[in-house]
Amino acid sequence: GAGVSQSPRYKVAKRGQDVALRCDPISGHVSLFWYQQALGQGPEFLTYFQNEAQLDKSGLPSDRFFAERPEGSVSTLKIQRTQQEDSAVYLCASFGTVNTGELFFGEGSRLTVL
Amino acid sequence: KNQVEQSPQSLIILEGKNCTLQCNYTVSPFSNLRWYKQDTGRGPVSLTIMTFSENTKSNGRYTATLDADTKQSSLHITASQLSDSASYICVVSATDSWGKLQFGAGTQVVVTP
């Protein structure tokens, strides 16, 4: 597609439910990032993929958070046993190549945990 | 402690006026600095990106400056328009961890008629 696509745009979950957020990066983009953005704050790094390899997952806040990109294109961020503090916008972004410098963001998935 | 600090946290300006946003960073070793515009409910959109050797870059009515010695950057908005109302985020990356960008908290700009 022309841009980074994320789904769902909005998700309401009851505390304890599992959720899965999907990211379709720009076709051919090697690098993919997930960020968490709390209201009124800048995005915070969660994890980074280069193709299918998850090179950095140091930003994942707990072992309830899991991300995968099995074929090096679409990525899924899964949150198990959701808690209220997980409520945030989850942004996905992709790079073409390191040296282009241009990082393209999706519109985000807003998760609300009740 | 956040390695990228932005000021002011928010500001209100009249349509047609200019404004300047500040970004101070401690990220090292420095690779590049980007300014993004984020409309409410949307993903961030890139405005400018500057490397160590660049000290100014423009994108329409947006002009970013960089002083790598003092580790400061500014974003100047000229002749503001209502559509400039958004959050402006400063993002810095280090040469040894380019994949993990450091984001500022953003400056919320409101342009009023």
Side-chain angles (χ1 to χ4, degrees):
Chain A
V4 178
S5 177
Q6 292 188 244
S7 62
R9 287 293 316 277
Y10 304 93
K11 176 68 178 179
V12 179
K14 291 183 179 178
R15 190 160 57 97
Q17 275 186 325
D18 297 347
V19 300
L21 309 177
R22 177 188 169 103
C23 173
D24 273 281
I26 292 173
S27 179
H29 275 196
V30 169
S31 302
L32 184 146
F33 303 82
W34 282 99
Y35 294 91
Q36 181 188 58
Q37 187 173 26
L39 189 65
Q41 299 295 316
E44 295 203 4
F45 172 82
L46 291 177
T47 186
Y48 158 60
F49 289 87
Q50 188 166 332
N51 294 307
E52 69 278 5
Q54 189 174 20
L55 299 187
D56 190 338
K57 56 181 181 179
S58 62
L60 296 177
S62 77
D63 59 7
R64 296 185 296 103
F65 286 71
F66 172 76
E68 60 182 5
R69 194 185 185 197
E71 298 178 357
S73 55
V74 172
S75 178
T76 303
L77 176 66
K78 298 179 179 178
I79 309 173
Q80 297 177 322
R81 305 180 303 281
T82 53
Q83 303 294 317
Q84 284 190 323
E85 61 264 28
D86 300 335
S87 296
V89 174
Y90 291 87
L91 291 166
C92 176
S94 70
F95 260 131
T97 62
V98 174
N99 294 329
T100 62
E102 187 63 70
L103 184 64
F104 295 90
F105 283 86
E107 301 288 5
S109 291
R110 179 178 294 277
L111 172 64
T112 302
V113 182
L114 303 177
Chain B
K1 185 182 187 302
N2 197 343
Q3 297 184 59
V4 180
E5 299 285 347
Q6 291 188 242
S7 62
Q9 187 174 16
S10 62
L11 71 103
I12 301 173
I13 58 173
L14 289 175
E15 187 178 11
K17 298 296 186 182
N18 304 335
C19 69
T20 300
L21 317 179
Q22 300 292 339
C23 174
N24 296 338
Y25 63 92
T26 58
V27 176
S28 181
F30 174 81
S31 175
N32 57 67
L33 184 146
R34 312 147 192 263
W35 283 95
Y36 281 86
K37 177 186 179 188
Q38 186 174 24
D39 292 315
T40 301
R42 308 297 295 273
V45 175
S46 178
L47 294 176
T48 63
I49 176 169
M50 289 182 290
T51 59
F52 184 89
S53 60
E54 298 173 294
N55 56 23
T56 187
K57 185 163 283 189
S58 292
N59 178 356
R61 294 179 297 101
Y62 300 102
T63 299
T65 66
L66 172 65
D67 185 334
D69 291 331
T70 62
K71 298 186 177 182
Q72 296 180 325
S73 176
S74 66
L75 180 69
H76 186 75
I77 305 175
T78 303
S80 60
Q81 301 177 358
L82 296 179
S83 59
D84 294 331
S85 295
S87 178
Y88 292 83
I89 304 174
C90 175
V91 186
V92 183
S93 65
T95 54
D96 59 354
S97 60
W98 64 270
K100 192 186 297 185
L101 306 177
Q102 298 289 342
F103 286 74
T107 292
Q108 186 67 45
V109 173
V110 175
V111 181
T112 63

